[in-house]
Amino acid sequence: MARGANEPILISGGGIGGLIAAYCLAHQGFPVRLFEQSAEFKEVGAGIQLGPNIFRVLSKVGLMDAVLADVHRPPAQEMRDALTGKLITRIPLGEEFIARFGQPYAVTHRADIHATFLKACEASGLIQLETSRRVDDFTDHGDHVTVTLNNGETARGRALIGCDGMWSKIRERIVGDGKPRVSGHIAYRGVLKKEDVPADLWRPDVVLWAGPRTHFVHYPLRRGELYNLVAVFHSDHYEEGWNAEGSKDLLWQHFKMQVPEVLRMLERIDTWRMWVLCDREPVKDWTKGNVTLLGDAAHPMLQYLAQGACMATEDAVMLADQIAASPDDLPAAFKAYQQARYLRTARTQIMARVYGEFYHARGVAAELRDMAVGGRTLQQSYDGIAWLYGGP
Ligand SMILES: Cc1cc2nc3c(=O)[nH]c(=O)nc-3n(C[C@H](O)[C@H](O)[C@H](O)COP(=O)(O)OP(=O)(O)OC[C@H]3O[C@@H](n4cnc5c(N)ncnc54)[C@H](O)[C@@H]3O)c2cc1C
């Protein structure tokens, strides 16, 4: 039975965060109306890594098996020196990892997890999904909200959740902290079919090649059928958005000194898509009355801890729990959700920046990094990340 007097909760944005939020609310019995500005629900991009923390919350809402159906399960994460090829550290992700964190580590295509969430929303029977609908503005009337859509319509709901990403319009009104911070780091990404990866270079692990002011990551995707490549370097080039074509010359300038394994892999990609990496300073006030934020709209982060989509999913499950706990007082539920989330998400935002510096270290700083991570026992490596993987 639908809860909440049958008036829907409105969601702006149908990315990974918006869809999982809609699903979690419906799972608790609340009707939802979700507006996505694009003409269809689809994810651009390539691979994402999924830490054990996302599986802990997905298992609570019954979506763990559906997500796991498309993933690749890497046996280990490796970090190598991109100038010498030397192994810096190898962290197993198999039985020892599951024994420690109680959940697996996996990598998936962004489109696959997005499609799984979309299917779950469609099957719920409580979610109205609307494409080509941009939320331009909202008014909080105290006992309900209205949103203004790009087609001139007004829609009414009990509350509004802004899941509209890094450049969120809802955030503009709630937090008002201007444009995102441009990090000065650029990511180039490409996906290959398994058969297009030279056999001697194909590896089942997540491999990170750390170089001076660069790093390069590769891992298999989609049950091993695809191979994901992401090359990151420092540059002042700035272009808003996530999907521009990247120049090969610019990439080559930054990577040409690196080992043949790296160069041979980079050469395999004909067309790179480019992301200019941005984030924001953490804030603790992303809720106002009947309106709150979730995912990148609330706490956009650099990708160095591979956690943006994981954090959005944790948000969704915990927000739905808070709403279920006080279904007649959504402003109180939103505040409780924010209170439960802001320190964990802020820590992830800040630590993602630190990991970026760490991967891109040069000279003596790189030597110190290699000594520090190379000298750790397996338990020490797990302990170092337990604050993140052990949550929420
Ligand atoms: C290079 C890179 C690698 C990454 N790797 C990982 C990883 O390994 N693991 C991980 O967990 N995360 C990773 N992330 C982060 C992750 O991709 C994001 O944190 C996550 O996708 C955010 O989801 P979201 O739904 O909050 O926002 P978005 O994905 O930005 O979705 C926002 C949606 O809202 C829509 N929208 C925007 N404005 C409006 C509006 N006004 N009205 C209606 N609709 C609107 C957009 O069209 C879009 O569909 C990575 C990110 C990058 C850039």
Side-chain angles (χ1 to χ4, degrees), residues 13 17 36-37 48-49 110 135 164 275 296 303 306-310:
E36 165 56 44
Q37 65 181 0
I48 53 175
Q49 304 182 50
R110 193 183 282 275
V135 174
D164 47 349
W275 256 295
D296 277 7
Q303 86 288 12
Q307 279 288 328
C310 298

Side-chain angles (χ1 to χ4, degrees), residues 139-338:
T139 307
D140 187 344
H141 303 271
D143 60 347
H144 71 280
V145 295
T146 49
V147 296
T148 315
L149 303 173
N150 56 320
N151 62 353
E153 271 178 37
T154 300
R156 176 182 159 130
R158 294 184 66 201
L160 170 65
I161 306 170
C163 304
D164 47 349
M166 177 85 74
W167 293 272
S168 166
K169 287 198 171 172
I170 312 296
R171 184 185 177 104
E172 241 169 71
R173 292 270 316 276
I174 303 271
V175 182
D177 56 353
K179 290 192 166 182
R181 185 191 73 108
V182 178
S183 68
H185 302 184
I186 295 200
Y188 275 32
R189 63 197 157 78
V191 177
L192 291 173
K193 291 195 186 127
K194 183 177 184 183
E195 52 272 27
D196 294 332
V197 182
D200 63 316
L201 295 181
W202 192 92
R203 298 281 314 279
D205 307 308
V206 174
V207 181
L208 185 147
W209 298 87
R213 306 181 84 203
T214 70
H215 82 272
F216 173 48
V217 182
H218 50 75
Y219 50 81
L221 289 179
R222 198 170 285 163
R223 301 170 296 273
E225 294 156 27
L226 301 174
Y227 212 63
N228 186 60
L229 312 179
V230 182
V232 178
F233 54 91
H234 292 209
S235 165
D236 54 11
H237 187 92
Y238 178 67
E239 197 162 334
E240 203 160 286
W242 279 25
N243 208 23
E245 186 172 333
S247 131
K248 270 187 163 179
D249 287 347
L250 187 62
L251 179 74
W252 220 244
Q253 278 170 31
H254 291 85
F255 285 87
K256 62 185 177 208
M257 304 299 290
Q258 302 196 356
V259 291
E261 290 95 315
V262 170
L263 301 184
R264 283 177 59 215
M265 287 293 270
L266 294 178
E267 273 169 0
R268 304 300 301 176
I269 302 278
D270 289 329
T271 310
W272 290 96
R273 307 312 298 177
M274 182 180 88
W275 256 295
V276 173
L277 300 171
C278 300
D279 68 357
R280 290 180 183 274
E281 295 305 325
V283 294
K284 63 189 289 187
D285 295 312
W286 70 61
T287 285
K288 206 176 197 177
N290 289 299
V291 184
T292 194
L293 303 175
L294 182 148
D296 277 7
H299 41 67
M301 55 189 67
L302 298 177
Q303 86 288 12
Y304 298 117
L305 277 174
Q307 279 288 328
C310 298
M311 286 293 140
T313 306
E314 287 186 10
D315 284 352
V317 175
M318 294 180 75
L319 174 60
D321 282 350
Q322 294 298 343
I323 293 177
S326 46
D328 301 322
D329 188 352
L330 294 191
F334 288 176
K335 283 272 185 227
Y337 147 74
Q338 175 186 279

Side-chain angles (χ1 to χ4, degrees), residues 28-78:
Q28 298 272 13
F30 297 97
V32 175
R33 198 169 165 195
L34 182 150
F35 304 104
E36 165 56 44
Q37 65 181 0
S38 308
E40 54 180 325
F41 284 102
K42 96 170 179 218
E43 263 289 332
V44 293
I48 53 175
Q49 304 182 50
L50 303 174
N53 51 312
I54 193 176
F55 292 113
R56 197 164 294 117
V57 289
L58 285 175
S59 67
K60 278 192 179 177
V61 294
L63 286 183
M64 176 148 164
D65 290 344
V67 169
L68 282 176
D70 298 313
V71 304
H72 168 77
R73 299 268 295 271
Q77 279 175 341
E78 268 189 16

